[in-house]
Amino acid sequence: MPITYKKLWKLLIDKEMNKGQLRELSGVSPNVIAKLGKDDPVAMESLIKIAEALEVDFGDIVSIEGKEND
């Protein structure tokens, strides 16, 4: 299932924040930020911390892209 965090990166641009500031604000590890940058799955707990820190809903930071047909 292809996960994407494009919404999160757009939100950070809108808030004029960088990944380091997000890490400090949310309290997630640098490893989590690295995984997000690669669109790798991360623990739900980490995503909730990020959503709460940014004061947004979970759906505002993560989405699932449909599988393309060949």
Side-chain angles (χ1 to χ4, degrees):
M1 195 174 306
I3 298 170
T4 183
Y5 304 104
K6 291 177 186 175
K7 291 181 180 182
L8 172 60
W9 307 132
K10 289 178 184 175
L11 184 62
L12 288 184
I13 291 169
D14 291 344
K15 291 184 176 276
E16 298 180 354
M17 291 179 68
N18 62 38
K19 292 178 183 180
Q21 292 167 324
L22 174 64
R23 185 181 59 78
E24 290 176 15
L25 182 65
S26 64
V28 298
S29 71
N31 186 42
V32 169
I33 299 297
K35 285 184 174 185
L36 293 171
K38 299 177 195 172
D39 284 337
D40 287 343
V42 298
M44 182 72 77
E45 180 180 307
S46 297
L47 295 174
I48 291 170
K49 285 181 182 181
I50 291 169
E52 287 177 346
L54 295 174
E55 299 178 350
V56 297
D57 187 34
F58 179 79
D60 295 329
I61 62 172
V62 64
S63 61
I64 299 171
E65 293 184 340
K67 187 175 180 180
E68 293 183 19
N69 295 329
D70 293 332

Short mmCIF file of all heavy atoms in Angstrom, two decimals:
data_model
loop_
_atom_site.label_atom_id
_atom_site.label_comp_id
_atom_site.label_asym_id
_atom_site.label_seq_id
_atom_site.Cartn_x
_atom_site.Cartn_y
_atom_site.Cartn_z
N MET A 1 0.84 -1.18 0.00
CA MET A 1 0.00 0.00 0.00
C MET A 1 0.89 1.25 0.00
O MET A 1 1.62 1.47 0.95
CB MET A 1 -0.88 -0.04 1.25
CG MET A 1 -2.03 0.91 1.20
SD MET A 1 -3.16 0.76 2.60
CE MET A 1 -3.58 -0.95 2.61
N PRO A 2 0.88 2.01 -1.06
CA PRO A 2 1.76 3.19 -1.16
C PRO A 2 1.28 4.36 -0.29
O PRO A 2 0.22 4.92 -0.52
CB PRO A 2 1.72 3.55 -2.64
CG PRO A 2 0.50 2.89 -3.18
CD PRO A 2 0.14 1.76 -2.28
N ILE A 3 2.09 4.68 0.70
CA ILE A 3 1.81 5.78 1.61
C ILE A 3 2.59 6.99 1.14
O ILE A 3 3.73 6.86 0.70
CB ILE A 3 2.23 5.42 3.04
CG1 ILE A 3 1.44 4.22 3.54
CG2 ILE A 3 2.06 6.59 3.99
CD1 ILE A 3 1.94 3.65 4.83
N THR A 4 1.99 8.16 1.26
CA THR A 4 2.70 9.39 0.92
C THR A 4 2.47 10.44 1.99
O THR A 4 1.40 10.50 2.60
CB THR A 4 2.30 9.91 -0.47
OG1 THR A 4 3.08 11.07 -0.76
CG2 THR A 4 0.84 10.26 -0.55
N TYR A 5 3.49 11.23 2.22
CA TYR A 5 3.42 12.31 3.20
C TYR A 5 3.52 13.67 2.51
O TYR A 5 3.94 14.65 3.11
CB TYR A 5 4.55 12.14 4.23
CG TYR A 5 4.51 10.79 4.91
CD1 TYR A 5 5.41 9.79 4.56
CD2 TYR A 5 3.56 10.51 5.87
CE1 TYR A 5 5.37 8.55 5.17
CE2 TYR A 5 3.50 9.27 6.49
CZ TYR A 5 4.41 8.29 6.13
OH TYR A 5 4.36 7.06 6.73
N LYS A 6 3.11 13.74 1.25
CA LYS A 6 3.15 15.00 0.50
C LYS A 6 2.38 16.10 1.20
O LYS A 6 2.80 17.26 1.21
CB LYS A 6 2.59 14.80 -0.91
CG LYS A 6 3.47 13.95 -1.80
CD LYS A 6 2.82 13.73 -3.15
CE LYS A 6 3.62 12.76 -3.99
NZ LYS A 6 2.95 12.43 -5.25
N LYS A 7 1.26 15.73 1.80
CA LYS A 7 0.45 16.72 2.53
C LYS A 7 1.24 17.32 3.69
O LYS A 7 1.14 18.52 3.96
CB LYS A 7 -0.83 16.08 3.07
CG LYS A 7 -1.83 15.69 2.01
CD LYS A 7 -3.05 15.09 2.68
CE LYS A 7 -4.11 14.67 1.71
NZ LYS A 7 -5.29 14.13 2.41
N LEU A 8 2.03 16.50 4.36
CA LEU A 8 2.85 16.98 5.47
C LEU A 8 3.87 18.00 4.98
O LEU A 8 4.04 19.06 5.58
CB LEU A 8 3.55 15.82 6.16
CG LEU A 8 4.59 16.19 7.22
CD1 LEU A 8 3.96 16.98 8.36
CD2 LEU A 8 5.28 14.94 7.74
N TRP A 9 4.54 17.69 3.88
CA TRP A 9 5.58 18.60 3.38
C TRP A 9 4.97 19.92 2.91
O TRP A 9 5.55 20.99 3.13
CB TRP A 9 6.39 17.93 2.27
CG TRP A 9 6.93 16.59 2.68
CD1 TRP A 9 6.87 15.45 1.97
CD2 TRP A 9 7.61 16.25 3.90
NE1 TRP A 9 7.46 14.42 2.67
CE2 TRP A 9 7.92 14.88 3.86
CE3 TRP A 9 7.98 16.97 5.04
CZ2 TRP A 9 8.58 14.21 4.90
CZ3 TRP A 9 8.63 16.30 6.07
CH2 TRP A 9 8.92 14.95 6.00
N LYS A 10 3.80 19.85 2.29
CA LYS A 10 3.12 21.09 1.88
C LYS A 10 2.71 21.91 3.10
O LYS A 10 2.82 23.14 3.10
CB LYS A 10 1.90 20.77 1.03
CG LYS A 10 2.25 20.25 -0.35
CD LYS A 10 1.02 19.90 -1.15
CE LYS A 10 1.42 19.29 -2.50
NZ LYS A 10 0.26 18.83 -3.26
N LEU A 11 2.27 21.23 4.14
CA LEU A 11 1.88 21.91 5.37
C LEU A 11 3.08 22.60 6.02
O LEU A 11 2.98 23.73 6.50
CB LEU A 11 1.25 20.90 6.34
CG LEU A 11 0.70 21.45 7.64
CD1 LEU A 11 -0.43 22.43 7.38
CD2 LEU A 11 0.22 20.31 8.52
N LEU A 12 4.22 21.93 6.02
CA LEU A 12 5.43 22.54 6.58
C LEU A 12 5.83 23.79 5.79
O LEU A 12 6.24 24.79 6.39
CB LEU A 12 6.59 21.55 6.59
CG LEU A 12 6.53 20.42 7.60
CD1 LEU A 12 7.81 19.58 7.53
CD2 LEU A 12 6.31 20.92 8.99
N ILE A 13 5.69 23.75 4.49
CA ILE A 13 5.99 24.93 3.67
C ILE A 13 5.05 26.07 4.04
O ILE A 13 5.48 27.21 4.23
CB ILE A 13 5.91 24.60 2.17
CG1 ILE A 13 7.05 23.67 1.77
CG2 ILE A 13 5.91 25.87 1.33
CD1 ILE A 13 6.92 23.06 0.39
N ASP A 14 3.76 25.76 4.17
CA ASP A 14 2.77 26.77 4.54
C ASP A 14 3.07 27.38 5.91
O ASP A 14 2.84 28.57 6.13
CB ASP A 14 1.36 26.19 4.54
CG ASP A 14 0.87 25.84 3.15
OD1 ASP A 14 1.47 26.31 2.16
OD2 ASP A 14 -0.12 25.06 3.06
N LYS A 15 3.57 26.57 6.83
CA LYS A 15 3.88 27.03 8.18
C LYS A 15 5.30 27.58 8.29
O LYS A 15 5.74 27.94 9.38
CB LYS A 15 3.67 25.91 9.19
CG LYS A 15 2.21 25.52 9.38
CD LYS A 15 2.08 24.46 10.46
CE LYS A 15 0.64 24.13 10.73
NZ LYS A 15 0.03 25.05 11.68
N GLU A 16 6.02 27.57 7.18
CA GLU A 16 7.41 28.04 7.12
C GLU A 16 8.28 27.31 8.15
O GLU A 16 9.04 27.92 8.90
CB GLU A 16 7.48 29.55 7.29
CG GLU A 16 6.76 30.29 6.18
CD GLU A 16 6.82 31.80 6.31
OE1 GLU A 16 7.34 32.32 7.33
OE2 GLU A 16 6.36 32.47 5.39
N MET A 17 8.14 25.98 8.16
CA MET A 17 8.92 25.14 9.06
C MET A 17 9.79 24.20 8.25
O MET A 17 9.48 23.88 7.10
CB MET A 17 7.99 24.27 9.92
CG MET A 17 7.18 25.00 10.94
SD MET A 17 6.11 23.87 11.88
CE MET A 17 7.32 22.94 12.79
N ASN A 18 10.88 23.75 8.87
CA ASN A 18 11.71 22.72 8.22
C ASN A 18 11.60 21.42 9.01
O ASN A 18 10.93 21.36 10.05
CB ASN A 18 13.16 23.19 8.08
CG ASN A 18 13.83 23.46 9.42
OD1 ASN A 18 13.60 22.75 10.40
ND2 ASN A 18 14.67 24.48 9.46
N LYS A 19 12.22 20.38 8.52
CA LYS A 19 12.12 19.06 9.14
C LYS A 19 12.70 19.05 10.55
O LYS A 19 12.18 18.37 11.44
CB LYS A 19 12.80 18.00 8.28
CG LYS A 19 12.09 17.74 6.97
CD LYS A 19 12.85 16.72 6.14
CE LYS A 19 12.18 16.50 4.79
NZ LYS A 19 12.91 15.52 3.98
N GLY A 20 13.76 19.78 10.76
CA GLY A 20 14.37 19.86 12.10
C GLY A 20 13.43 20.49 13.10
O GLY A 20 13.31 20.03 14.25
N GLN A 21 12.77 21.55 12.69
CA GLN A 21 11.80 22.20 13.57
C GLN A 21 10.63 21.28 13.87
O GLN A 21 10.13 21.24 15.00
CB GLN A 21 11.31 23.51 12.95
CG GLN A 21 12.38 24.57 12.87
CD GLN A 21 11.99 25.74 11.98
OE1 GLN A 21 11.32 25.56 10.96
NE2 GLN A 21 12.40 26.94 12.37
N LEU A 22 10.19 20.53 12.87
CA LEU A 22 9.11 19.57 13.07
C LEU A 22 9.54 18.51 14.07
O LEU A 22 8.77 18.16 14.98
CB LEU A 22 8.74 18.90 11.74
CG LEU A 22 7.73 17.76 11.85
CD1 LEU A 22 6.38 18.27 12.36
CD2 LEU A 22 7.56 17.07 10.50
N ARG A 23 10.74 18.02 13.95
CA ARG A 23 11.25 17.00 14.87
C ARG A 23 11.26 17.51 16.30
O ARG A 23 10.80 16.85 17.23
CB ARG A 23 12.65 16.55 14.45
CG ARG A 23 13.19 15.40 15.28
CD ARG A 23 14.59 15.01 14.86
NE ARG A 23 15.55 16.10 14.96
CZ ARG A 23 16.10 16.51 16.10
NH1 ARG A 23 15.79 15.94 17.23
NH2 ARG A 23 16.98 17.49 16.10
N GLU A 24 11.76 18.72 16.50
CA GLU A 24 11.81 19.31 17.84
C GLU A 24 10.42 19.55 18.41
O GLU A 24 10.16 19.26 19.58
CB GLU A 24 12.59 20.62 17.81
CG GLU A 24 14.08 20.44 17.57
CD GLU A 24 14.81 21.76 17.44
OE1 GLU A 24 14.24 22.81 17.81
OE2 GLU A 24 15.96 21.75 16.97
N LEU A 25 9.52 20.07 17.59
CA LEU A 25 8.17 20.39 18.04
C LEU A 25 7.38 19.13 18.41
O LEU A 25 6.68 19.11 19.41
CB LEU A 25 7.43 21.17 16.95
CG LEU A 25 6.02 21.63 17.26
CD1 LEU A 25 6.01 22.65 18.40
CD2 LEU A 25 5.38 22.24 16.02
N SER A 26 7.53 18.09 17.61
CA SER A 26 6.73 16.87 17.81
C SER A 26 7.39 15.87 18.75
O SER A 26 6.71 15.02 19.31
CB SER A 26 6.45 16.20 16.47
OG SER A 26 7.66 15.76 15.87
N GLY A 27 8.71 15.93 18.88
CA GLY A 27 9.41 14.99 19.75
C GLY A 27 9.67 13.63 19.12
O GLY A 27 9.98 12.68 19.83
N VAL A 28 9.56 13.54 17.80
CA VAL A 28 9.87 12.28 17.13
C VAL A 28 11.36 12.19 16.86
O VAL A 28 12.06 13.20 16.85
CB VAL A 28 9.05 12.09 15.82
CG1 VAL A 28 7.57 12.05 16.12
CG2 VAL A 28 9.37 13.15 14.81
N SER A 29 11.84 11.00 16.61
CA SER A 29 13.27 10.80 16.40
C SER A 29 13.69 11.20 14.98
O SER A 29 12.85 11.25 14.07
CB SER A 29 13.62 9.32 16.62
OG SER A 29 13.12 8.54 15.56
N PRO A 30 14.98 11.46 14.80
CA PRO A 30 15.48 11.74 13.45
C PRO A 30 15.20 10.59 12.48
O PRO A 30 14.99 10.81 11.29
CB PRO A 30 16.98 11.94 13.64
CG PRO A 30 17.13 12.31 15.08
CD PRO A 30 16.03 11.60 15.81
N ASN A 31 15.18 9.37 12.99
CA ASN A 31 14.90 8.20 12.15
C ASN A 31 13.49 8.28 11.57
O ASN A 31 13.27 7.94 10.41
CB ASN A 31 15.06 6.92 12.98
CG ASN A 31 14.93 5.67 12.17
OD1 ASN A 31 15.44 5.60 11.06
ND2 ASN A 31 14.23 4.70 12.70
N VAL A 32 12.54 8.74 12.36
CA VAL A 32 11.16 8.89 11.89
C VAL A 32 11.10 9.92 10.76
O VAL A 32 10.47 9.69 9.73
CB VAL A 32 10.20 9.27 13.04
CG1 VAL A 32 8.84 9.68 12.51
CG2 VAL A 32 10.07 8.12 14.02
N ILE A 33 11.78 11.03 10.94
CA ILE A 33 11.80 12.08 9.92
C ILE A 33 12.42 11.53 8.63
O ILE A 33 11.92 11.80 7.53
CB ILE A 33 12.57 13.33 10.40
CG1 ILE A 33 11.90 13.92 11.65
CG2 ILE A 33 12.69 14.37 9.30
CD1 ILE A 33 10.49 14.45 11.45
N ALA A 34 13.48 10.74 8.75
CA ALA A 34 14.13 10.14 7.58
C ALA A 34 13.16 9.20 6.85
O ALA A 34 13.08 9.21 5.62
CB ALA A 34 15.39 9.40 7.99
N LYS A 35 12.43 8.39 7.61
CA LYS A 35 11.46 7.48 7.00
C LYS A 35 10.35 8.25 6.29
O LYS A 35 9.91 7.87 5.21
CB LYS A 35 10.86 6.55 8.05
CG LYS A 35 11.78 5.45 8.49
CD LYS A 35 11.08 4.53 9.47
CE LYS A 35 11.96 3.35 9.80
NZ LYS A 35 11.23 2.37 10.65
N LEU A 36 9.89 9.34 6.91
CA LEU A 36 8.86 10.16 6.28
C LEU A 36 9.36 10.71 4.95
O LEU A 36 8.61 10.77 3.97
CB LEU A 36 8.45 11.31 7.20
CG LEU A 36 7.73 10.93 8.49
CD1 LEU A 36 7.60 12.16 9.39
CD2 LEU A 36 6.37 10.34 8.21
N GLY A 37 10.62 11.11 4.91
CA GLY A 37 11.20 11.66 3.69
C GLY A 37 11.27 10.66 2.56
O GLY A 37 11.30 11.03 1.39
N LYS A 38 11.27 9.37 2.90
CA LYS A 38 11.31 8.31 1.89
C LYS A 38 9.93 7.70 1.63
O LYS A 38 9.82 6.70 0.93
CB LYS A 38 12.25 7.19 2.35
CG LYS A 38 13.68 7.62 2.55
CD LYS A 38 14.47 6.45 3.08
CE LYS A 38 15.81 6.91 3.64
NZ LYS A 38 16.52 5.82 4.33
N ASP A 39 8.90 8.27 2.25
CA ASP A 39 7.53 7.73 2.18
C ASP A 39 7.47 6.30 2.70
O ASP A 39 6.68 5.48 2.22
CB ASP A 39 6.96 7.81 0.76
CG ASP A 39 6.53 9.22 0.39
OD1 ASP A 39 6.26 10.03 1.30
OD2 ASP A 39 6.43 9.51 -0.81
N ASP A 40 8.30 5.99 3.68
CA ASP A 40 8.26 4.69 4.34
C ASP A 40 7.22 4.72 5.46
O ASP A 40 6.98 5.77 6.06
CB ASP A 40 9.62 4.33 4.95
CG ASP A 40 10.66 3.97 3.91
OD1 ASP A 40 10.28 3.69 2.76
OD2 ASP A 40 11.86 3.98 4.26
N PRO A 41 6.63 3.57 5.78
CA PRO A 41 5.67 3.54 6.89
C PRO A 41 6.35 3.85 8.22
O PRO A 41 7.50 3.44 8.45
CB PRO A 41 5.16 2.10 6.88
CG PRO A 41 5.59 1.50 5.60
CD PRO A 41 6.75 2.29 5.11
N VAL A 42 5.66 4.55 9.09
CA VAL A 42 6.14 4.83 10.44
C VAL A 42 5.02 4.48 11.42
O VAL A 42 3.86 4.31 11.02
CB VAL A 42 6.58 6.31 10.63
CG1 VAL A 42 7.74 6.64 9.72
CG2 VAL A 42 5.43 7.25 10.39
N ALA A 43 5.36 4.40 12.68
CA ALA A 43 4.39 4.04 13.71
C ALA A 43 3.27 5.08 13.79
O ALA A 43 3.51 6.28 13.64
CB ALA A 43 5.08 3.92 15.06
N MET A 44 2.08 4.60 14.03
CA MET A 44 0.92 5.47 14.19
C MET A 44 1.16 6.49 15.30
O MET A 44 0.77 7.65 15.19
CB MET A 44 -0.32 4.64 14.49
CG MET A 44 -1.57 5.45 14.63
SD MET A 44 -2.16 6.08 13.06
CE MET A 44 -2.90 4.60 12.39
N GLU A 45 1.82 6.06 16.36
CA GLU A 45 2.13 6.94 17.48
C GLU A 45 2.92 8.18 17.02
O GLU A 45 2.65 9.30 17.44
CB GLU A 45 2.92 6.18 18.54
CG GLU A 45 3.29 7.00 19.76
CD GLU A 45 4.08 6.17 20.76
OE1 GLU A 45 3.61 5.09 21.14
OE2 GLU A 45 5.16 6.64 21.15
N SER A 46 3.88 7.97 16.14
CA SER A 46 4.69 9.08 15.62
C SER A 46 3.85 10.03 14.78
O SER A 46 3.99 11.26 14.90
CB SER A 46 5.85 8.55 14.78
OG SER A 46 6.71 7.76 15.56
N LEU A 47 2.97 9.48 13.96
CA LEU A 47 2.11 10.33 13.13
C LEU A 47 1.14 11.14 13.99
O LEU A 47 0.87 12.31 13.69
CB LEU A 47 1.35 9.48 12.12
CG LEU A 47 2.21 8.78 11.07
CD1 LEU A 47 1.35 7.85 10.23
CD2 LEU A 47 2.94 9.79 10.21
N ILE A 48 0.66 10.54 15.06
CA ILE A 48 -0.23 11.27 15.96
C ILE A 48 0.51 12.40 16.65
O ILE A 48 -0.01 13.51 16.78
CB ILE A 48 -0.88 10.29 16.98
CG1 ILE A 48 -1.85 9.37 16.25
CG2 ILE A 48 -1.57 11.05 18.10
CD1 ILE A 48 -2.36 8.22 17.08
N LYS A 49 1.75 12.15 17.09
CA LYS A 49 2.56 13.21 17.71
C LYS A 49 2.74 14.38 16.76
O LYS A 49 2.63 15.55 17.15
CB LYS A 49 3.94 12.67 18.12
CG LYS A 49 3.94 11.81 19.34
CD LYS A 49 5.36 11.38 19.63
CE LYS A 49 5.45 10.47 20.82
NZ LYS A 49 6.84 10.06 21.10
N ILE A 50 3.00 14.08 15.49
CA ILE A 50 3.20 15.13 14.49
C ILE A 50 1.91 15.90 14.26
O ILE A 50 1.90 17.14 14.25
CB ILE A 50 3.74 14.53 13.18
CG1 ILE A 50 5.17 14.03 13.39
CG2 ILE A 50 3.68 15.54 12.05
CD1 ILE A 50 5.71 13.18 12.26
N ALA A 51 0.80 15.18 14.11
CA ALA A 51 -0.50 15.84 13.89
C ALA A 51 -0.86 16.74 15.06
O ALA A 51 -1.31 17.87 14.88
CB ALA A 51 -1.59 14.80 13.65
N GLU A 52 -0.64 16.26 16.28
CA GLU A 52 -0.95 17.07 17.46
C GLU A 52 -0.05 18.29 17.54
O GLU A 52 -0.50 19.39 17.87
CB GLU A 52 -0.82 16.23 18.73
CG GLU A 52 -1.95 15.22 18.89
CD GLU A 52 -1.78 14.33 20.11
OE1 GLU A 52 -0.67 14.28 20.71
OE2 GLU A 52 -2.77 13.66 20.46
N ALA A 53 1.23 18.12 17.23
CA ALA A 53 2.17 19.24 17.29
C ALA A 53 1.81 20.32 16.28
O ALA A 53 1.94 21.51 16.57
CB ALA A 53 3.60 18.74 17.05
N LEU A 54 1.33 19.91 15.12
CA LEU A 54 0.96 20.87 14.07
C LEU A 54 -0.49 21.33 14.19
O LEU A 54 -0.93 22.17 13.40
CB LEU A 54 1.20 20.24 12.69
CG LEU A 54 2.65 19.92 12.34
CD1 LEU A 54 2.72 19.18 11.02
CD2 LEU A 54 3.49 21.19 12.30
N GLU A 55 -1.21 20.74 15.15
CA GLU A 55 -2.62 21.08 15.39
C GLU A 55 -3.47 20.85 14.14
O GLU A 55 -4.24 21.71 13.73
CB GLU A 55 -2.76 22.52 15.90
CG GLU A 55 -2.06 22.74 17.22
CD GLU A 55 -2.14 24.16 17.71
OE1 GLU A 55 -2.59 25.06 16.95
OE2 GLU A 55 -1.76 24.39 18.87
N VAL A 56 -3.28 19.66 13.55
CA VAL A 56 -4.05 19.26 12.37
C VAL A 56 -4.60 17.86 12.58
O VAL A 56 -4.23 17.17 13.53
CB VAL A 56 -3.19 19.31 11.08
CG1 VAL A 56 -2.71 20.72 10.79
CG2 VAL A 56 -2.02 18.34 11.16
N ASP A 57 -5.46 17.44 11.68
CA ASP A 57 -6.00 16.10 11.71
C ASP A 57 -5.01 15.14 11.04
O ASP A 57 -4.22 15.55 10.18
CB ASP A 57 -7.35 16.08 10.98
CG ASP A 57 -8.08 14.76 11.10
OD1 ASP A 57 -7.97 14.12 12.17
OD2 ASP A 57 -8.76 14.38 10.13
N PHE A 58 -5.09 13.89 11.40
CA PHE A 58 -4.22 12.86 10.84
C PHE A 58 -4.26 12.85 9.31
O PHE A 58 -3.24 12.74 8.65
CB PHE A 58 -4.67 11.50 11.40
CG PHE A 58 -3.89 10.34 10.89
CD1 PHE A 58 -2.65 10.04 11.39
CD2 PHE A 58 -4.41 9.53 9.88
CE1 PHE A 58 -1.93 8.96 10.93
CE2 PHE A 58 -3.70 8.45 9.41
CZ PHE A 58 -2.45 8.17 9.94
N GLY A 59 -5.43 13.01 8.74
CA GLY A 59 -5.59 13.01 7.28
C GLY A 59 -4.96 14.20 6.59
O GLY A 59 -4.82 14.21 5.37
N ASP A 60 -4.56 15.20 7.37
CA ASP A 60 -3.90 16.38 6.80
C ASP A 60 -2.41 16.17 6.57
O ASP A 60 -1.75 17.02 5.98
CB ASP A 60 -4.10 17.60 7.71
CG ASP A 60 -5.55 18.01 7.82
OD1 ASP A 60 -6.30 17.82 6.84
OD2 ASP A 60 -5.94 18.56 8.88
N ILE A 61 -1.88 15.03 7.05
CA ILE A 61 -0.44 14.81 6.90
C ILE A 61 -0.08 13.54 6.14
O ILE A 61 1.05 13.40 5.68
CB ILE A 61 0.28 14.81 8.27
CG1 ILE A 61 -0.23 13.68 9.17
CG2 ILE A 61 0.16 16.16 8.94
CD1 ILE A 61 0.57 13.50 10.44
N VAL A 62 -1.00 12.61 6.03
CA VAL A 62 -0.70 11.34 5.37
C VAL A 62 -1.85 10.94 4.46
O VAL A 62 -3.00 11.25 4.73
CB VAL A 62 -0.41 10.22 6.40
CG1 VAL A 62 -1.63 9.92 7.24
CG2 VAL A 62 0.09 8.96 5.74
N SER A 63 -1.51 10.29 3.35
CA SER A 63 -2.55 9.77 2.47
C SER A 63 -2.04 8.48 1.83
O SER A 63 -0.84 8.20 1.80
CB SER A 63 -2.95 10.79 1.41
OG SER A 63 -1.87 11.12 0.60
N ILE A 64 -2.99 7.73 1.30
CA ILE A 64 -2.67 6.49 0.61
C ILE A 64 -2.97 6.69 -0.86
O ILE A 64 -4.08 7.06 -1.22
CB ILE A 64 -3.49 5.32 1.18
CG1 ILE A 64 -3.17 5.13 2.66
CG2 ILE A 64 -3.22 4.04 0.40
CD1 ILE A 64 -4.08 4.16 3.36
N GLU A 65 -1.96 6.49 -1.68
CA GLU A 65 -2.14 6.66 -3.11
C GLU A 65 -2.62 5.35 -3.71
O GLU A 65 -2.18 4.28 -3.34
CB GLU A 65 -0.83 7.07 -3.78
CG GLU A 65 -0.38 8.46 -3.38
CD GLU A 65 0.85 8.89 -4.12
OE1 GLU A 65 1.59 8.04 -4.65
OE2 GLU A 65 1.09 10.11 -4.17
N GLY A 66 -3.54 5.46 -4.66
CA GLY A 66 -4.07 4.27 -5.33
C GLY A 66 -3.01 3.60 -6.16
O GLY A 66 -2.12 4.24 -6.70
N LYS A 67 -3.12 2.31 -6.28
CA LYS A 67 -2.19 1.53 -7.09
C LYS A 67 -2.54 1.72 -8.55
O LYS A 67 -3.67 1.59 -8.97
CB LYS A 67 -2.30 0.05 -6.72
CG LYS A 67 -1.27 -0.82 -7.36
CD LYS A 67 -1.37 -2.24 -6.85
CE LYS A 67 -0.32 -3.12 -7.51
NZ LYS A 67 -0.41 -4.49 -7.02
N GLU A 68 -1.52 2.06 -9.34
CA GLU A 68 -1.74 2.26 -10.78
C GLU A 68 -1.83 0.94 -11.50
O GLU A 68 -1.09 -0.01 -11.20
CB GLU A 68 -0.59 3.09 -11.37
CG GLU A 68 -0.55 4.51 -10.85
CD GLU A 68 0.55 5.31 -11.52
OE1 GLU A 68 1.02 4.88 -12.59
OE2 GLU A 68 0.94 6.33 -10.97
N ASN A 69 -2.72 0.86 -12.46
CA ASN A 69 -2.84 -0.35 -13.27
C ASN A 69 -1.86 -0.29 -14.44
O ASN A 69 -1.62 0.75 -15.00
CB ASN A 69 -4.27 -0.49 -13.83
CG ASN A 69 -5.28 -0.70 -12.73
OD1 ASN A 69 -4.97 -1.29 -11.70
ND2 ASN A 69 -6.50 -0.24 -12.93
N ASP A 70 -1.31 -1.43 -14.77
CA ASP A 70 -0.35 -1.49 -15.88
C ASP A 70 -1.04 -1.39 -17.22
O ASP A 70 -2.05 -1.85 -17.48
CB ASP A 70 0.46 -2.79 -15.83
CG ASP A 70 1.37 -2.79 -14.62
OD1 ASP A 70 1.76 -1.72 -14.16
OD2 ASP A 70 1.69 -3.90 -14.17
#
